[in-house]
């Protein structure tokens, strides 16, 4: 199969869809790999590294898309990239279509088969291709939030962990999944006072077993969420419903009761965000202020630590990409129901029920 690795063009996105080590695996199985010039340069993978692994390096994205049967990338294709896709071609990437009807329409119009990392499922309903970036984003959320709490970044001038004689900041984490647990781990490590709220009592038990009394757990209810949010210095939005739009858990009216200079970090922004006042931002302009509360809503947070993120994601995606290349789409999806769950768009149709419902296509 012909496999294409284009350079990412989203603002401040430096990850790459496959490392030279993965390219070597594709080539060893008889596949042909075309990589766009400088696709991995920002994170230390030069064109010579890809050539040494057996890939052909070309100068333009259009050639990559024209030649590839399987396109492997990181972030959702931008409009110009969507227009390069064609019927019968396989796109393997993060898509987050529930919050992006424009992209959905372009993918449908292209006729391609688009498989979304974020809805591929594993044992027990796990999300094996979302988990690595959720781990990164959860940890980064605390770093970003701690920075935003500094006066120079619009915050209240708080040190997350405090110092002897001065109380640590209060961190409220909405959601006890992979993002939430990793955010809690970082916040606890920095000495913050941490609370996690989730609607799944089983998750809360696991968090309690992991962190003990270093993290307070709370079963989700509107009153409990309101109390935690309005009392917090830093709120992490870590809510996820696979494939679907994120519920808006925090209405704007609550912001007026938060302390001036408090911070909201919406890790769920890819799926629409869980704060009413959330809107997508970029690494170039990551924050804005509403009612005195700093909002950090970057849609590709792991892109800021692109080398770590690329390796983490590459480890997870390679087996699935190899299956698609070795077997072709039809057989690979037929033999792996979890991979089949990743199919979001096929031959002009939305095929993922939560996405279709969110977009009003059901």
């Amino acid at each position: 199969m012909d496999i294409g690795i284009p350079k990412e063009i989203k603002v401040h996105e430096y990850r790459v869809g496959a490392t030279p080590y993965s390219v070597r695996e594709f080539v060893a199985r008889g596949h042909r790999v075309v990589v766009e010039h400088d696709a991995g340069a920002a994170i230390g993978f030069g064109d010579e590294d890809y050539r040494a692994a057996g890939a052909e390096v070309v100068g333009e994205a259009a050639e990559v898309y024209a030649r590839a049967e399987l396109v492997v990338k990181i972030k959702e294709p931008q409009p110009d990239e969507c227009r390069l896709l064609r019927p019968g071609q396989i796109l393997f990437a993060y898509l987050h279509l529930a919050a992006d009807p424009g992209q959905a329409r372009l993918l449908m119009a292209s006729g391609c088969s688009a498989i979304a990392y974020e809805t591929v499922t594993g044992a027990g309903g796990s999300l094996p291709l979302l988990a690595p970036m959720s781990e990164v984003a959860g940890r980064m959320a605390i770093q970003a939030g701690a920075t935003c709490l500094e006066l120079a970044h619009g915050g209240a001038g708080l040190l997350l962990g405090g110092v002897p004689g001065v109380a640590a900041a209060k961190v409220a984490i909405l959601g006890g999944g992979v993002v939430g647990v990793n955010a809690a781990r970082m916040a606890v490590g920095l000495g913050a006072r941490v609370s996690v709220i989730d609607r799944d009592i089983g998750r809360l038990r696991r968090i309690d077993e992991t962190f003990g009394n270093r993290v307070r757990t709370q079963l989700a209810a509107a009153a409990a969420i309101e109390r935690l949010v309005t009392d917090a210095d830093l709120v992490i939005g870590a809510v996820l419903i696979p494939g679907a739009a994120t519920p808006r858990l925090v209405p704007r009216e609550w912001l007026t009761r938060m302390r001036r200079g408090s911070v909201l970090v919406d890790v769920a922004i890819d799926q629409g965000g869980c704060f009413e006042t959330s809107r997508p931002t970029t690494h170039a302009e990551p924050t804005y202020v509403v009612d005195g509360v700093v909002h950090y809503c970057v849609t590709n947070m792991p892109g800021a630590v692109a080398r770590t993120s690329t390796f983490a994601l590459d480890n997870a995606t390679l087996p699935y990409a190899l299956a698609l290349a070795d077997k072709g789409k039809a057989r690979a999806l037929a033999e792996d129901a979890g991979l089949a769950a990743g199919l979001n768009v096929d031959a002009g149709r939305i095929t993922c029920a939560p996405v279709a419902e969110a977009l009003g296509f059901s």
Side-chain angles (χ1 to χ4, degrees):
M1 183 177 283
D2 291 304
I3 301 164
I5 313 296
K7 184 176 181 178
E8 298 293 326
I9 63 172
K10 189 163 185 171
V11 176
H12 287 279
E13 180 55 73
Y14 304 113
R15 290 173 288 179
V16 63
T19 66
Y21 310 108
S22 289
V23 168
R24 189 180 298 276
E25 293 293 323
F26 289 125
V27 172
R29 294 181 184 229
H31 305 296
R32 297 164 298 279
V33 182
V34 180
V35 179
E36 185 179 353
H37 169 62
D38 278 349
I43 57 172
F45 296 134
D47 292 345
E48 65 278 7
D49 297 314
Y50 284 103
R51 291 191 184 100
E56 180 183 352
V57 177
V58 299
E60 296 183 354
E63 185 172 356
V64 174
Y65 283 91
R67 293 172 57 179
E69 299 166 85
L70 168 62
V71 176
V72 180
K73 65 190 306 292
I74 301 291
K75 288 305 291 179
E76 72 281 355
Q78 303 304 292
D80 286 346
E81 294 176 300
C82 287
R83 296 183 184 100
L84 295 173
L85 294 165
R86 64 178 186 273
Q89 195 170 44
I90 306 167
L91 171 67
F92 196 34
Y94 286 116
L95 300 178
H96 298 292
L97 294 178
D100 194 348
Q103 184 203 168
R105 293 189 186 94
L106 286 171
L107 290 179
M108 292 167 68
S110 77
C112 79
S113 298
I115 300 173
Y117 292 160
E118 71 272 11
T119 61
V120 172
T121 59
S126 64
L127 300 170
L129 305 189
L130 188 61
M133 295 304 92
S134 294
E135 291 167 347
V136 172
R139 297 179 186 210
M140 284 193 67
I142 299 301
Q143 291 183 189
T147 299
C148 290
L149 280 170
E150 297 173 10
L151 276 173
H153 295 277
L158 295 177
L159 181 65
L160 202 63
V163 292
V166 181
K170 294 179 181 179
V171 177
I173 301 171
L174 310 184
V178 177
V179 171
V181 167
N182 279 272
R185 181 170 288 114
M186 290 291 285
V188 165
L190 289 171
R193 292 176 287 173
V194 183
S195 297
V196 176
I197 193 163
D198 197 281
R199 63 183 182 181
D200 184 339
I201 190 66
R203 280 184 174 177
L204 297 180
R205 286 197 181 100
R206 289 190 291 273
I207 290 169
D208 185 71
E209 290 167 0
T210 300
F211 296 103
N213 60 10
R214 294 175 296 171
V215 172
R216 294 176 55 204
T217 57
Q218 177 81 50
L219 194 64
I225 297 171
E226 181 179 7
R227 184 172 60 253
L228 279 179
V229 167
T230 55
D231 189 45
D233 301 298
L234 170 59
V235 182
I236 307 298
V239 180
L240 173 70
I241 300 175
T246 306
R248 295 297 179 99
L249 299 180
V250 177
R252 179 169 183 168
E253 64 186 86
W254 293 2
L255 271 59
T256 61
R257 286 184 280 130
M258 296 180 71
R259 286 182 284 275
R260 187 173 185 84
S262 298
V263 175
L264 303 179
V265 176
D266 200 341
V267 185
I269 191 64
D270 278 323
Q271 296 291 117
C274 59
F275 309 127
E276 182 183 355
T277 45
S278 290
R279 58 176 172 80
T281 63
T282 67
H283 288 294
E285 297 183 43
T287 64
Y288 58 93
V289 178
V290 177
D291 295 335
V293 177
V294 180
H295 291 57
Y296 181 101
C297 303
V298 175
T299 57
N300 60 329
M301 288 178 63
V305 288
R307 188 172 174 89
T308 295
S309 298
T310 294
F311 275 108
L313 185 58
D314 199 51
N315 291 339
T317 58
L318 179 60
Y320 294 96
L322 285 171
L324 287 166
D326 290 346
K327 302 173 182 179
K329 184 195 76 172
R331 182 179 160 203
L333 299 187
E335 293 182 0
D336 186 342
L339 180 57
L343 187 66
N344 279 210
V345 180
D346 191 42
R349 298 180 301 109
I350 298 291
T351 55
C352 178
V355 171
E357 181 177 355
L359 296 176
F361 294 161
S362 56

